[in-house]
Amino acid sequence: MTLFSAASILICGANGLDSSGMPLDSITRGLSSYDTTQASETGTALVIETSVPILIENLKITGGNANYQNGSPINNYDKGGGLQVNSGAVVSLGNGTVIIENRAKYGGGVYNEGTLCLFGSAVVGNPSASSVASGYDSSDVSANYGSSYGGGIYNTATGQVYISSGNIKYNADDGSSSGGGGLMNCGIASMSGGTIYKNAAKSGGGVYLTAN
């Protein structure tokens, strides 16, 4: 999405939430749930590169696969399975936003180079999961999967993440050098509320911090 003239943009589902709190509307890129073949040709579900502030509400972002294409690694497009926020973009995930069942090498749920805000009831992960995430396979219900770093969110050296409420829940990395099951942070991250829990990785199951 690239827009330059608007003051702000609201991306909002029209039909609200179901009885379990899941959005009835979705942006889906086509990856079948728990697809273990890694052969789905999909790419990132939603890419935002405009400097116009974006607010997302009452919407599920799902089915993105920025990890494999036709069974082979996508070397140049391996970032952000569900949502990719490019440098200069400002994206707020608000009430009723759920980013679930996406995969990528970096940032299974979200890959952020800009400014990302979580508030209200926003969820990066699986809001109904009751156990700790493990790998992404046919017997698991891991929400978002990163094969290297950042199962839920990968925040780059240029990125800023601000979490005032919401959940980063039940995301996983399971590569040999994986880190940051919930959040991989290389930039600026501030958390004044919300929860990061039930995520898994080899290093930093919840959060992995690194300095650049």
Side-chain angles (χ1 to χ4, degrees):
M1 174 175 289
T2 305
L3 298 165
F4 295 101
S5 59
S8 63
I9 299 294
L10 171 64
I11 303 174
C12 183
N15 296 300
L17 310 177
D18 65 17
S19 60
S20 69
M22 288 293 289
L24 291 170
D25 298 290
S26 65
I27 294 175
T28 181
R29 195 66 176 88
L31 175 66
S32 299
S33 300
Y34 324 127
D35 179 0
T36 60
T37 67
Q38 300 180 324
S40 298
E41 182 175 347
T42 59
T44 302
L46 176 62
V47 178
I48 295 177
E49 59 181 24
T50 178
S51 60
V52 176
I54 301 289
L55 171 60
I56 301 174
E57 292 186 333
N58 294 341
L59 191 67
K60 181 167 69 172
I61 299 173
T62 189
N65 179 10
N67 205 21
Y68 285 81
Q69 188 174 74
N70 293 331
S72 299
I74 309 173
N75 294 323
N76 297 320
Y77 303 95
D78 53 5
K79 303 173 179 68
L83 173 65
Q84 183 174 327
V85 181
N86 287 341
S87 179
V90 179
V91 177
S92 297
L93 306 179
N95 288 322
T97 301
V98 178
I99 298 178
I100 186 172
E101 292 174 8
N102 302 281
R103 64 167 65 208
K105 184 175 182 179
Y106 304 104
V110 182
Y111 184 87
N112 179 53
E113 296 177 335
T115 300
L116 179 71
C117 304
L118 273 73
F119 70 94
S121 61
V123 178
V124 177
N126 187 341
S128 63
S130 59
S131 60
V132 176
S134 56
Y136 192 109
D137 58 48
S138 59
S139 63
D140 192 22
V141 287
S142 174
N144 297 295
Y145 169 76
S147 62
S148 186
Y149 292 98
I153 299 173
Y154 187 107
N155 189 44
T156 70
T158 64
Q160 300 179 51
V161 172
Y162 299 98
I163 304 168
S164 59
S165 61
N167 295 309
I168 301 173
K169 178 181 180 184
Y170 207 61
N171 305 284
D173 296 321
D174 68 358
S176 60
S177 59
S178 67
L183 169 65
M184 173 69 181
N185 182 55
C186 306
I188 296 172
S190 173
M191 185 173 182
S192 59
T195 56
I196 299 175
Y197 71 129
K198 298 185 185 298
N199 303 282
K202 183 175 181 180
S203 300
V207 179
Y208 188 103
L209 303 176
T210 184
N212 291 292

